[in-house]
Amino acid sequence: MPKKTYDATPEHVLCRRIPTPPFGRFEDRRIISYDDYTADSGYEALRKSIGMKPGDVTEEVRKSVLRGRGGAGFPCGVKWGFLPPIPEGKAPGEPGAERYLAVNADESEPGTFKDRLLMDFDPHLLLEGIAICCYACRLSKAYIFIRGEYHHQAKVLENALREAYDNGIFGEKGLIAGDANTGGDRFRVDCYVHRGAGAYICGEETGLLEALEGKRGWPRLKPPFPAVQGLFGKPTIINNVETLCHLPSILSNGADWFCGQGVESSIGGPPSFGTKLMGVSGHVERPGVYEFELGIPLRTIVEEHCGGMRGDKKFKGAIPGGISMGILGTDQYDAELDFDIGRKHNVLGLGTACPTVFDEDTDMVAVARNISRFFKHESCGQCTPCREGSGWLYQLMTRIEEGGAKTKDLDLALEVATSMGSMPGTTICGLADGNNWAIRTIINKFRDEFEARVARTFVPVKVSVGAMAKG
Protein backbone atom coordinates (compact mmCIF):
# COMPACT_ATOMS: atom_id res chain seq x y z
CA MET A 1 0.00 0.00 0.00
CA PRO A 2 1.19 3.57 -0.58
CA LYS A 3 3.12 5.10 2.27
CA LYS A 4 0.83 8.13 2.21
CA THR A 5 -1.48 9.93 -0.14
CA TYR A 6 0.13 12.01 -2.83
CA ASP A 7 0.88 15.58 -1.75
CA ALA A 8 -0.40 17.91 -4.46
CA THR A 9 1.77 20.77 -3.14
CA PRO A 10 5.14 19.22 -2.27
CA GLU A 11 8.08 21.17 -0.99
CA HIS A 12 10.07 22.22 -4.02
CA VAL A 13 13.60 20.89 -3.76
CA LEU A 14 15.11 20.95 -7.24
CA CYS A 15 12.99 23.91 -8.36
CA ARG A 16 13.50 25.89 -5.18
CA ARG A 17 15.27 28.68 -7.08
CA ILE A 18 13.56 28.03 -10.42
CA PRO A 19 10.05 29.57 -10.61
CA THR A 20 7.61 26.85 -11.68
CA PRO A 21 3.79 26.96 -11.93
CA PRO A 22 1.68 27.07 -9.87
CA PHE A 23 4.25 28.56 -7.45
CA GLY A 24 5.93 30.83 -9.96
CA ARG A 25 6.05 31.93 -13.58
CA PHE A 26 8.22 30.48 -16.32
CA GLU A 27 9.10 34.03 -17.38
CA ASP A 28 10.76 34.80 -14.04
CA ARG A 29 13.47 32.17 -14.39
CA ARG A 30 17.09 33.35 -14.43
CA ILE A 31 20.58 31.91 -14.05
CA ILE A 32 21.52 31.57 -10.38
CA SER A 33 25.06 32.87 -9.78
CA TYR A 34 27.42 31.72 -7.03
CA ASP A 35 26.47 34.73 -4.88
CA ASP A 36 22.74 34.07 -5.39
CA TYR A 37 23.24 30.40 -4.56
CA THR A 38 25.22 30.95 -1.36
CA ALA A 39 22.77 33.62 -0.22
CA ASP A 40 20.14 30.87 -0.23
CA SER A 41 22.17 28.38 1.87
CA GLY A 42 24.06 27.08 -1.14
CA TYR A 43 27.10 24.86 -0.44
CA GLU A 44 26.07 24.49 3.22
CA ALA A 45 25.40 20.80 2.58
CA LEU A 46 28.95 20.43 1.25
CA ARG A 47 30.32 22.12 4.39
CA LYS A 48 28.30 19.71 6.49
CA SER A 49 29.54 16.74 4.43
CA ILE A 50 33.23 17.50 4.82
CA GLY A 51 32.70 17.55 8.56
CA MET A 52 31.55 13.93 8.34
CA LYS A 53 33.46 10.79 7.52
CA PRO A 54 33.12 9.90 3.82
CA GLY A 55 31.53 6.57 4.70
CA ASP A 56 28.90 8.33 6.81
CA VAL A 57 27.95 10.53 3.85
CA THR A 58 27.54 7.43 1.68
CA GLU A 59 25.46 5.76 4.39
CA GLU A 60 23.10 8.76 4.59
CA VAL A 61 22.57 8.60 0.82
CA ARG A 62 22.02 4.84 1.04
CA LYS A 63 19.43 5.27 3.80
CA SER A 64 17.52 7.79 1.68
CA VAL A 65 16.96 5.14 -1.02
CA LEU A 66 17.65 7.80 -3.63
CA ARG A 67 17.08 5.97 -6.91
CA GLY A 68 18.83 7.07 -10.08
CA ARG A 69 16.90 9.71 -12.00
CA GLY A 70 18.50 8.95 -15.37
CA GLY A 71 16.16 6.10 -16.29
CA ALA A 72 17.25 2.86 -14.62
CA GLY A 73 16.24 3.78 -11.06
CA PHE A 74 19.16 1.97 -9.40
CA PRO A 75 19.79 3.07 -5.77
CA CYS A 76 22.54 5.71 -5.73
CA GLY A 77 24.06 4.77 -2.36
CA VAL A 78 24.24 1.10 -3.33
CA LYS A 79 26.09 2.01 -6.53
CA TRP A 80 28.63 4.04 -4.54
CA GLY A 81 29.20 1.00 -2.33
CA PHE A 82 30.49 -1.00 -5.29
CA LEU A 83 33.72 1.04 -5.40
CA PRO A 84 36.77 -0.96 -4.29
CA PRO A 85 38.80 0.51 -1.40
CA ILE A 86 41.69 2.85 -2.12
CA PRO A 87 45.00 0.94 -1.92
CA GLU A 88 46.60 1.16 1.50
CA GLY A 89 49.11 3.96 1.83
CA LYS A 90 47.62 5.90 -1.11
CA ALA A 91 45.75 9.18 -1.08
CA PRO A 92 42.87 9.96 -3.50
CA GLY A 93 44.22 11.10 -6.86
CA GLU A 94 47.73 9.73 -6.40
CA PRO A 95 49.10 7.36 -9.07
CA GLY A 96 47.48 4.00 -8.45
CA ALA A 97 44.56 5.56 -6.56
CA GLU A 98 42.78 7.48 -9.31
CA ARG A 99 38.98 7.31 -9.15
CA TYR A 100 36.54 9.28 -11.27
CA LEU A 101 33.00 10.63 -11.41
CA ALA A 102 31.29 10.73 -14.80
CA VAL A 103 28.18 12.92 -14.80
CA ASN A 104 25.64 11.85 -17.40
CA ALA A 105 24.30 15.13 -18.81
CA ASP A 106 23.81 13.70 -22.31
CA GLU A 107 19.99 13.71 -22.11
CA SER A 108 19.36 12.64 -25.69
CA GLU A 109 16.29 10.49 -25.03
CA PRO A 110 13.45 11.94 -27.17
CA GLY A 111 10.83 13.61 -25.02
CA THR A 112 13.29 14.23 -22.17
CA PHE A 113 14.42 17.72 -21.18
CA LYS A 114 14.39 17.81 -17.37
CA ASP A 115 18.18 17.90 -16.73
CA ARG A 116 18.40 20.84 -19.10
CA LEU A 117 16.29 22.90 -16.67
CA LEU A 118 18.84 22.45 -13.87
CA MET A 119 21.80 23.26 -16.08
CA ASP A 120 19.98 26.25 -17.57
CA PHE A 121 19.14 28.01 -14.32
CA ASP A 122 20.73 26.43 -11.21
CA PRO A 123 24.14 25.04 -12.22
CA HIS A 124 25.65 25.35 -8.72
CA LEU A 125 23.11 22.85 -7.39
CA LEU A 126 24.69 20.30 -9.73
CA LEU A 127 28.23 21.37 -8.81
CA GLU A 128 27.48 21.01 -5.09
CA GLY A 129 26.10 17.53 -5.71
CA ILE A 130 29.25 16.66 -7.65
CA ALA A 131 31.47 17.91 -4.84
CA ILE A 132 29.53 15.91 -2.23
CA CYS A 133 29.76 12.74 -4.33
CA CYS A 134 33.50 13.22 -4.90
CA TYR A 135 34.11 13.70 -1.17
CA ALA A 136 31.99 10.71 -0.15
CA CYS A 137 33.52 8.36 -2.71
CA ARG A 138 37.08 9.83 -2.62
CA LEU A 139 37.02 10.77 -6.31
CA SER A 140 39.70 13.13 -7.55
CA LYS A 141 38.18 14.15 -10.90
CA ALA A 142 34.68 14.71 -12.23
CA TYR A 143 33.71 14.94 -15.89
CA ILE A 144 30.35 16.40 -16.89
CA PHE A 145 29.53 14.72 -20.21
CA ILE A 146 27.02 17.12 -21.72
CA ARG A 147 25.00 16.62 -24.89
CA GLY A 148 26.65 18.20 -27.91
CA GLU A 149 23.52 20.18 -28.82
CA TYR A 150 23.41 21.84 -25.40
CA HIS A 151 25.55 24.81 -26.44
CA HIS A 152 24.02 27.34 -24.06
CA GLN A 153 23.93 24.91 -21.13
CA ALA A 154 27.61 24.08 -21.59
CA LYS A 155 28.51 27.77 -21.38
CA VAL A 156 26.38 28.22 -18.25
CA LEU A 157 28.14 25.27 -16.61
CA GLU A 158 31.59 26.52 -17.59
CA ASN A 159 30.85 29.95 -16.10
CA ALA A 160 29.57 28.34 -12.90
CA LEU A 161 32.67 26.14 -12.74
CA ARG A 162 34.92 29.19 -12.89
CA GLU A 163 32.97 30.67 -9.97
CA ALA A 164 33.29 27.39 -8.06
CA TYR A 165 37.06 27.28 -8.57
CA ASP A 166 37.39 30.93 -7.55
CA ASN A 167 35.49 30.27 -4.33
CA GLY A 168 37.23 27.13 -3.14
CA ILE A 169 34.88 24.37 -4.22
CA PHE A 170 37.26 22.73 -6.71
CA GLY A 171 40.96 23.02 -7.35
CA GLU A 172 44.06 23.28 -5.20
CA LYS A 173 42.27 25.06 -2.36
CA GLY A 174 38.89 23.48 -2.86
CA LEU A 175 36.42 21.57 -0.68
CA ILE A 176 36.07 24.30 0.81
CA ALA A 177 38.98 26.77 0.89
CA GLY A 178 40.15 27.63 4.39
CA ASP A 179 37.71 25.34 6.22
CA ALA A 180 38.88 22.60 8.56
CA ASN A 181 38.09 19.18 7.14
CA THR A 182 37.23 17.19 10.26
CA GLY A 183 35.83 14.16 8.49
CA GLY A 184 38.61 12.89 6.25
CA ASP A 185 41.93 13.79 4.69
CA ARG A 186 41.83 16.79 2.40
CA PHE A 187 42.37 16.08 -1.26
CA ARG A 188 42.01 17.99 -4.50
CA VAL A 189 38.95 17.61 -6.73
CA ASP A 190 38.87 18.92 -10.29
CA CYS A 191 35.79 19.17 -12.47
CA TYR A 192 35.56 19.48 -16.25
CA VAL A 193 32.82 19.97 -18.85
CA HIS A 194 33.17 17.53 -21.76
CA ARG A 195 30.93 18.15 -24.75
CA GLY A 196 29.66 15.15 -26.68
CA ALA A 197 29.14 14.90 -30.42
CA GLY A 198 25.40 14.30 -30.41
CA ALA A 199 25.14 10.49 -30.33
CA TYR A 200 22.17 8.96 -28.48
CA ILE A 201 24.18 5.85 -27.63
CA CYS A 202 26.54 7.92 -25.46
CA GLY A 203 23.74 8.21 -22.92
CA GLU A 204 24.45 4.55 -22.12
CA GLU A 205 26.98 4.63 -19.31
CA THR A 206 29.75 2.60 -20.92
CA GLY A 207 29.26 4.28 -24.29
CA LEU A 208 29.69 7.55 -22.39
CA LEU A 209 32.99 6.30 -20.94
CA GLU A 210 34.26 5.34 -24.38
CA ALA A 211 33.41 8.81 -25.70
CA LEU A 212 35.10 10.47 -22.70
CA GLU A 213 38.25 8.53 -23.57
CA GLY A 214 38.14 9.96 -27.09
CA LYS A 215 36.94 6.78 -28.75
CA ARG A 216 33.85 5.86 -30.70
CA GLY A 217 30.80 5.68 -28.43
CA TRP A 218 30.36 1.91 -28.39
CA PRO A 219 28.93 0.34 -25.22
CA ARG A 220 31.23 -2.07 -23.41
CA LEU A 221 30.62 -5.62 -22.30
CA LYS A 222 29.94 -5.96 -18.58
CA PRO A 223 31.51 -7.18 -16.35
CA PRO A 224 33.78 -5.51 -15.46
CA PHE A 225 31.39 -2.84 -14.25
CA PRO A 226 32.41 0.85 -14.22
CA ALA A 227 32.67 0.97 -10.42
CA VAL A 228 35.53 -1.52 -10.69
CA GLN A 229 37.02 -0.68 -14.08
CA GLY A 230 35.57 2.38 -15.75
CA LEU A 231 37.08 5.57 -17.15
CA PHE A 232 40.72 5.01 -18.20
CA GLY A 233 40.47 1.59 -16.56
CA LYS A 234 39.97 3.10 -13.08
CA PRO A 235 37.03 2.83 -10.64
CA THR A 236 34.30 5.18 -11.79
CA ILE A 237 30.91 6.30 -10.52
CA ILE A 238 28.37 7.35 -13.16
CA ASN A 239 25.42 9.45 -11.96
CA ASN A 240 22.73 11.46 -13.71
CA VAL A 241 22.45 15.24 -13.30
CA GLU A 242 19.14 15.13 -11.42
CA THR A 243 20.39 12.36 -9.11
CA LEU A 244 23.36 14.46 -8.02
CA CYS A 245 21.17 17.54 -7.57
CA HIS A 246 19.22 15.71 -4.85
CA LEU A 247 22.33 15.22 -2.69
CA PRO A 248 22.52 18.71 -1.11
CA SER A 249 18.97 18.52 0.24
CA ILE A 250 19.46 14.95 1.52
CA LEU A 251 22.64 15.92 3.39
CA SER A 252 21.06 19.11 4.73
CA ASN A 253 17.76 17.60 5.89
CA GLY A 254 18.59 13.94 6.42
CA ALA A 255 17.51 10.67 4.86
CA ASP A 256 14.30 10.47 6.92
CA TRP A 257 13.14 13.79 5.49
CA PHE A 258 13.73 12.53 1.94
CA CYS A 259 11.85 9.29 2.67
CA GLY A 260 8.86 11.36 3.77
CA GLN A 261 8.25 12.29 0.12
CA GLY A 262 7.01 9.97 -2.58
CA VAL A 263 5.42 6.56 -2.05
CA GLU A 264 6.18 3.06 -0.92
CA SER A 265 5.92 0.31 -3.51
CA SER A 266 2.39 -1.01 -3.97
CA ILE A 267 3.65 -4.33 -5.37
CA GLY A 268 6.27 -5.22 -2.77
CA GLY A 269 9.26 -3.70 -4.58
CA PRO A 270 11.72 -0.95 -3.63
CA PRO A 271 10.09 2.38 -2.69
CA SER A 272 9.83 5.47 -4.85
CA PHE A 273 10.93 8.20 -2.44
CA GLY A 274 11.54 11.87 -3.14
CA THR A 275 10.44 14.38 -5.74
CA LYS A 276 11.05 14.07 -9.46
CA LEU A 277 11.39 16.51 -12.31
CA MET A 278 8.85 15.66 -15.00
CA GLY A 279 9.05 17.28 -18.41
CA VAL A 280 5.59 17.21 -19.96
CA SER A 281 5.24 17.62 -23.72
CA GLY A 282 2.77 16.77 -26.44
CA HIS A 283 -0.90 17.66 -26.65
CA VAL A 284 -1.33 19.59 -23.39
CA GLU A 285 -2.18 23.24 -22.94
CA ARG A 286 0.88 24.13 -20.86
CA PRO A 287 3.90 21.89 -21.50
CA GLY A 288 7.00 22.36 -19.38
CA VAL A 289 9.16 20.94 -16.60
CA TYR A 290 7.48 20.48 -13.23
CA GLU A 291 8.56 19.01 -9.90
CA PHE A 292 6.24 16.44 -8.34
CA GLU A 293 6.45 13.77 -5.70
CA LEU A 294 6.86 10.31 -7.19
CA GLY A 295 3.51 8.54 -7.35
CA ILE A 296 1.49 11.36 -8.91
CA PRO A 297 -1.17 10.09 -11.37
CA LEU A 298 -0.71 11.08 -14.99
CA ARG A 299 -4.25 12.46 -15.10
CA THR A 300 -3.44 14.85 -12.22
CA ILE A 301 -0.38 16.17 -14.04
CA VAL A 302 -2.29 16.82 -17.25
CA GLU A 303 -5.53 18.22 -15.87
CA GLU A 304 -4.40 20.09 -12.74
CA HIS A 305 -0.93 21.32 -13.69
CA CYS A 306 -0.74 21.42 -17.49
CA GLY A 307 -4.14 23.00 -18.20
CA GLY A 308 -5.73 19.85 -19.59
CA MET A 309 -5.63 18.32 -23.04
CA ARG A 310 -5.00 20.79 -25.84
CA GLY A 311 -8.21 21.96 -27.52
CA ASP A 312 -10.31 20.00 -24.99
CA LYS A 313 -9.67 16.81 -26.92
CA LYS A 314 -9.71 13.37 -25.32
CA PHE A 315 -6.66 11.58 -23.98
CA LYS A 316 -5.48 8.71 -26.17
CA GLY A 317 -2.11 7.59 -24.79
CA ALA A 318 1.20 8.74 -23.36
CA ILE A 319 4.82 7.74 -23.35
CA PRO A 320 5.66 7.90 -19.61
CA GLY A 321 9.38 8.65 -19.66
CA GLY A 322 11.21 8.81 -22.96
CA ILE A 323 10.24 6.85 -26.06
CA SER A 324 12.18 3.73 -25.07
CA MET A 325 9.74 3.07 -22.21
CA GLY A 326 6.83 2.13 -24.46
CA ILE A 327 3.33 3.59 -24.26
CA LEU A 328 0.46 3.84 -21.81
CA GLY A 329 -2.90 3.00 -23.40
CA THR A 330 -6.13 4.97 -23.36
CA ASP A 331 -7.33 3.03 -20.31
CA GLN A 332 -4.14 3.86 -18.36
CA TYR A 333 -4.68 7.60 -17.95
CA ASP A 334 -4.62 7.21 -14.15
CA ALA A 335 -1.25 5.43 -14.10
CA GLU A 336 0.85 6.54 -11.13
CA LEU A 337 4.31 7.77 -12.11
CA ASP A 338 6.59 5.84 -9.80
CA PHE A 339 9.14 3.08 -10.26
CA ASP A 340 6.40 0.40 -10.14
CA ILE A 341 4.84 1.62 -13.38
CA GLY A 342 6.57 -0.97 -15.56
CA ARG A 343 5.18 -4.02 -13.81
CA LYS A 344 1.78 -2.45 -13.22
CA HIS A 345 1.11 -1.07 -16.70
CA ASN A 346 3.19 -3.19 -19.08
CA VAL A 347 5.82 -0.63 -20.02
CA LEU A 348 9.59 -0.94 -19.72
CA GLY A 349 9.70 1.37 -16.70
CA LEU A 350 9.43 4.93 -15.45
CA GLY A 351 12.51 6.02 -17.39
CA THR A 352 13.11 9.75 -17.15
CA ALA A 353 9.49 10.40 -16.07
CA CYS A 354 8.96 12.91 -18.88
CA PRO A 355 5.48 12.14 -20.29
CA THR A 356 4.69 12.78 -23.95
CA VAL A 357 0.89 13.02 -24.18
CA PHE A 358 -1.18 12.14 -27.26
CA ASP A 359 -4.73 13.25 -28.01
CA GLU A 360 -7.53 11.36 -29.78
CA ASP A 361 -6.43 12.44 -33.27
CA THR A 362 -2.91 10.99 -33.03
CA ASP A 363 -2.00 8.42 -35.67
CA MET A 364 -0.31 5.69 -33.61
CA VAL A 365 1.01 3.98 -36.74
CA ALA A 366 2.91 7.15 -37.60
CA VAL A 367 4.17 7.35 -34.01
CA ALA A 368 5.55 3.82 -34.23
CA ARG A 369 7.15 4.50 -37.59
CA ASN A 370 8.84 7.66 -36.33
CA ILE A 371 10.16 5.92 -33.22
CA SER A 372 11.55 3.03 -35.27
CA ARG A 373 13.26 5.53 -37.57
CA PHE A 374 14.99 7.12 -34.59
CA PHE A 375 16.32 3.83 -33.22
CA LYS A 376 17.48 2.72 -36.66
CA HIS A 377 19.46 5.95 -36.99
CA GLU A 378 20.95 5.84 -33.47
CA SER A 379 21.97 2.18 -33.28
CA CYS A 380 25.77 2.08 -33.03
CA GLY A 381 25.79 -1.07 -35.18
CA GLN A 382 28.00 -3.07 -32.84
CA CYS A 383 25.42 -5.83 -32.24
CA THR A 384 23.88 -7.60 -35.23
CA PRO A 385 20.37 -8.08 -33.73
CA CYS A 386 20.11 -4.36 -33.03
CA ARG A 387 21.76 -3.17 -36.23
CA GLU A 388 19.68 -5.39 -38.52
CA GLY A 389 16.56 -5.60 -36.36
CA SER A 390 16.14 -1.84 -36.00
CA GLY A 391 16.41 -1.41 -39.76
CA TRP A 392 13.96 -4.25 -40.35
CA LEU A 393 11.43 -2.78 -37.91
CA TYR A 394 11.64 0.59 -39.64
CA GLN A 395 10.97 -1.02 -43.02
CA LEU A 396 7.97 -2.86 -41.62
CA MET A 397 6.53 0.22 -39.91
CA THR A 398 6.99 2.27 -43.09
CA ARG A 399 5.28 -0.42 -45.17
CA ILE A 400 2.35 -0.56 -42.74
CA GLU A 401 1.96 3.23 -42.68
CA GLU A 402 1.96 3.40 -46.48
CA GLY A 403 -0.69 0.71 -46.75
CA GLY A 404 1.45 -1.90 -48.51
CA ALA A 405 1.61 -4.44 -45.66
CA LYS A 406 -0.34 -7.56 -44.76
CA THR A 407 -1.40 -8.97 -41.41
CA LYS A 408 1.61 -11.27 -41.37
CA ASP A 409 3.83 -8.17 -41.27
CA LEU A 410 2.32 -7.25 -37.89
CA ASP A 411 3.22 -10.65 -36.51
CA LEU A 412 6.67 -10.41 -38.06
CA ALA A 413 7.26 -6.99 -36.46
CA LEU A 414 6.36 -8.37 -33.03
CA GLU A 415 8.59 -11.40 -33.59
CA VAL A 416 11.57 -9.27 -34.66
CA ALA A 417 11.10 -6.85 -31.76
CA THR A 418 10.85 -9.60 -29.17
CA SER A 419 14.07 -11.20 -30.42
CA MET A 420 16.33 -8.17 -29.94
CA GLY A 421 17.66 -6.60 -26.77
CA SER A 422 19.85 -7.19 -23.76
CA MET A 423 16.97 -8.76 -21.85
CA PRO A 424 16.68 -11.58 -24.37
CA GLY A 425 20.48 -11.62 -24.16
CA THR A 426 21.23 -10.74 -27.77
CA THR A 427 22.80 -7.27 -27.40
CA ILE A 428 25.39 -5.51 -25.25
CA CYS A 429 23.27 -2.52 -24.23
CA GLY A 430 19.60 -1.67 -23.87
CA LEU A 431 19.04 0.42 -27.01
CA ALA A 432 17.38 -2.54 -28.74
CA ASP A 433 15.18 -3.06 -25.66
CA GLY A 434 13.90 0.49 -26.03
CA ASN A 435 13.10 -0.12 -29.68
CA ASN A 436 11.50 -3.44 -28.75
CA TRP A 437 9.23 -2.10 -25.98
CA ALA A 438 8.20 1.00 -27.91
CA ILE A 439 7.05 -0.90 -30.99
CA ARG A 440 5.53 -3.86 -29.12
CA THR A 441 3.47 -1.77 -26.72
CA ILE A 442 2.16 0.55 -29.43
CA ILE A 443 1.10 -2.37 -31.66
CA ASN A 444 -0.42 -4.36 -28.80
CA LYS A 445 -2.31 -1.46 -27.19
CA PHE A 446 -3.50 0.10 -30.49
CA ARG A 447 -3.66 -2.99 -32.69
CA ASP A 448 -6.96 -1.99 -34.30
CA GLU A 449 -5.25 1.00 -35.93
CA PHE A 450 -2.55 -1.22 -37.38
CA GLU A 451 -5.00 -3.86 -38.60
CA ALA A 452 -7.00 -1.15 -40.35
CA ARG A 453 -3.90 -0.26 -42.43
CA VAL A 454 -2.97 -3.76 -43.60
CA ALA A 455 -4.49 -6.26 -46.00
CA ARG A 456 -5.47 -9.65 -44.65
CA THR A 457 -3.05 -12.44 -45.47
CA PHE A 458 -4.82 -15.31 -47.26
CA VAL A 459 -3.25 -18.74 -46.71
CA PRO A 460 -4.99 -21.47 -48.83
CA VAL A 461 -5.57 -24.74 -47.00
CA LYS A 462 -5.61 -28.03 -48.93
CA VAL A 463 -6.76 -31.34 -47.54
CA SER A 464 -5.19 -34.54 -48.85
CA VAL A 465 -5.30 -38.20 -47.89
CA GLY A 466 -2.13 -40.23 -48.12
CA ALA A 467 1.41 -39.15 -48.88
CA MET A 468 0.94 -39.12 -52.67
CA ALA A 469 -2.58 -37.69 -52.80
CA LYS A 470 -3.20 -34.55 -54.82
CA GLY A 471 -5.07 -31.61 -53.37
Side-chain angles (χ1 to χ4, degrees), residues 50-288:
I50 64 175
M52 302 165 62
K53 293 182 179 179
D56 292 340
V57 178
T58 299
E59 179 61 17
E60 194 70 18
V61 175
R62 189 195 63 78
K63 285 168 54 181
S64 74
V65 202
L66 169 63
R67 298 178 66 173
R69 270 35 178 177
F74 192 82
C76 179
V78 174
K79 178 185 284 189
W80 290 4
F82 292 153
L83 282 170
I86 292 178
E88 189 174 351
K90 296 282 188 179
E94 288 185 357
E98 301 95 336
R99 296 145 73 91
Y100 303 109
L101 170 65
V103 182
N104 191 341
D106 192 62
E107 195 165 54
S108 49
E109 176 81 11
T112 300
F113 46 94
K114 44 95 177 176
D115 291 341
R116 175 178 178 173
L117 178 78
L118 298 169
M119 294 184 284
D120 261 329
F121 301 109
D122 203 358
H124 283 282
L125 181 63
L126 171 60
L127 297 184
E128 184 172 14
I130 289 172
I132 291 171
C133 177
C134 287
Y135 175 76
C137 299
R138 318 307 275 163
L139 311 174
S140 56
K141 288 184 174 61
Y143 294 90
I144 305 172
F145 187 94
I146 189 169
R147 180 179 178 180
E149 293 88 345
Y150 279 2
H151 305 290
H152 171 72
Q153 292 74 23
K155 292 179 181 177
V156 171
L157 280 175
E158 287 166 352
N159 289 335
L161 259 180
R162 280 192 287 270
E163 292 180 320
Y165 269 90
D166 291 342
N167 289 278
I169 308 301
F170 301 111
E172 187 66 36
K173 296 182 179 180
L175 289 176
I176 292 171
D179 282 2
N181 183 344
T182 58
D185 295 332
R186 182 174 295 280
F187 66 100
R188 173 173 179 158
V189 175
D190 286 297
C191 185
Y192 308 92
V193 175
H194 182 102
R195 300 179 66 173
Y200 172 73
I201 196 63
C202 289
E204 195 277 336
E205 60 178 16
T206 58
L208 182 151
L209 295 179
E210 289 286 294
L212 269 176
E213 293 178 358
K215 295 179 283 187
R216 182 174 182 175
W218 272 14
R220 301 173 181 175
L221 283 169
K222 294 181 284 190
F225 291 93
V228 177
Q229 186 176 326
L231 187 62
F232 307 122
K234 304 297 182 181
T236 304
I237 290 296
I238 305 171
N239 282 144
N240 170 259
V241 167
E242 186 185 350
T243 308
L244 292 167
C245 287
H246 271 291
L247 297 181
S249 62
I250 291 173
L251 268 297
S252 293
N253 301 301
D256 292 340
W257 165 85
F258 185 81
C259 295
Q261 306 166 78
V263 293
E264 295 275 8
S265 172
S266 59
I267 56 176
S272 299
F273 290 151
T275 62
K276 181 81 181 66
L277 290 181
M278 299 184 184
V280 188
S281 61
H283 303 146
V284 296
E285 288 289 354
R286 189 174 63 194

